[in-house]
Amino acid sequence: MEIVKENIKKYGISANTLKIIAVLSMITDHVGFVFFPHELMFRYVGRIAFPIYCFLLTEGFFHTRNIYRYLARMGIFAVLSEIPFNLGLYHVLIYQWNVNVFFTLFLGLLVMYLSDLLYHKSGNQTFGMVFCVLGMMAAEHIGSDYGAMGILVIYVFYLSYRGRNFGTARSKFLTTLCMVLFEAFLFAVEGPVEIYAVFSLLFILLYSGEKSGRIWEKLHLEKFNVFMKYFFYAVYPLHLTVLWLIY
């Protein structure tokens, strides 16, 4: 699924910076959920994380050299994160009503993969909607975090990718505008807390297309790219385990 972008912005924030923003937002959200359940400010800040995770998942899909390893990595971390998720947020070993967000991301990645296979055979992206619907149904069935809405958020980023990155300046602008409006609508209909996820779109629009960015280059931090890649996965079960131990 590897696609090389035509151009990279001369300004903006890198993928690694987006990852840091998402991680800090997520930890803030979970700290509030566990220790300050009535303080909604923690939840508002936490709404920024999931859309950024979804956006970076889409970027990863179009740039990965091996989609099967990507799917396997996502699936493995979904399984590894389930007990820390249950213990950290619900203080039980098995929580039957909800499973962790990695299952949502795994389903979203699978939906993109199957949709892209159909797109390359038919030349029409709309046919892939059937996989999106199936993914939404599966997410609701297993009770994955963010459920059907989470799959739809991922799919909108997926559908808009080619239009946002290739073609004329006008087509890029219109596709990006449609993406922002549709994503904002999805957040709005989810309720008064989820609407704060719209602020994540500001960071996403500032994405430069670079993995590390100029600041990382100036500080000679490129060697940490592999570390950042796996830290982005591992921090989820690790911070949930820490919350459980502290609680």
Side-chain angles (χ1 to χ4, degrees):
M1 301 302 156
E2 186 176 11
I3 293 180
V4 179
K5 286 190 177 183
E6 288 184 336
N7 60 333
I8 293 177
K9 297 177 185 176
K10 295 181 180 180
Y11 60 89
I13 55 181
S14 66
N16 282 344
T17 303
L18 276 179
K19 289 177 182 180
I20 292 172
I21 293 170
V23 166
L24 293 176
S25 170
M26 175 186 66
I27 292 175
T28 300
D29 184 36
H30 291 161
V31 167
F33 184 89
V34 174
F35 298 107
F36 310 101
H38 302 297
E39 295 291 337
L40 290 180
M41 184 57 66
F42 288 89
R43 313 311 310 283
Y44 297 156
V45 173
R47 298 311 92 200
I48 294 172
F50 181 70
I52 294 178
Y53 270 91
C54 294
F55 176 77
L56 291 174
L57 181 80
T58 307
E59 290 289 311
F61 170 75
F62 281 105
H63 289 85
T64 185
R65 291 185 175 89
N66 192 318
I67 184 60
Y68 304 110
R69 288 183 183 175
Y70 198 8
L71 281 165
R73 189 161 60 244
M74 201 64 64
I76 289 170
F77 273 95
V79 173
L80 291 177
S81 299
E82 187 57 18
I83 290 179
F85 173 76
N86 294 337
L87 292 173
L89 298 185
Y90 302 106
H91 321 301
V92 294
L93 193 62
I94 299 175
Y95 186 73
Q96 59 180 329
W97 306 112
N98 198 13
V99 295
N100 73 79
V101 74
F102 267 114
F103 284 99
T104 309
L105 297 175
F106 172 80
L107 287 173
L109 187 59
L110 184 61
V111 164
M112 288 192 289
Y113 170 60
L114 295 174
S115 297
D116 226 49
L117 286 179
L118 191 57
Y119 166 69
H120 286 300
K121 287 186 177 181
S122 66
N124 191 327
Q125 280 191 305
T126 57
F127 294 148
M129 278 298 296
V130 66
F131 294 116
C132 179
V133 172
L134 290 174
M136 292 168 68
M137 293 171 61
E140 288 295 316
H141 179 71
I142 66 174
S144 67
D145 223 0
Y146 289 93
M149 190 273 282
I151 301 299
L152 196 52
V153 167
I154 294 169
Y155 201 71
V156 171
F157 284 134
Y158 162 75
L159 281 181
S160 64
Y161 179 86
R162 290 180 174 88
R164 287 184 286 111
N165 292 287
F166 300 94
T168 65
R170 182 173 182 273
S171 68
K172 290 179 182 180
F173 172 78
L174 290 176
T175 304
T176 301
L177 179 62
C178 289
M179 177 199 77
V180 168
L181 292 176
F182 200 89
E183 296 285 20
F185 170 76
L186 290 178
F187 303 146
V189 298
E190 282 295 301
V193 175
E194 291 299 331
I195 185 60
Y196 286 87
V198 73
F199 290 106
S200 66
L201 297 172
L202 299 176
F203 296 107
I204 289 169
L205 288 174
L206 288 173
Y207 175 55
S208 66
E210 297 177 294
K211 179 180 289 186
S212 301
R214 289 175 175 78
I215 295 178
W216 287 70
E217 291 174 1
K218 288 181 180 179
L219 297 176
H220 304 290
L221 297 176
E222 301 94 327
K223 59 185 177 182
F224 292 106
N225 282 341
V226 175
F227 169 79
M228 280 298 299
K229 176 180 177 179
Y230 287 99
F231 173 76
F232 193 48
Y233 294 101
V235 70
Y236 185 75
L238 287 177
H239 90 280
L240 289 170
T241 302
V242 171
L243 289 179
W244 170 62
L245 290 173
I246 295 174
Y247 186 83

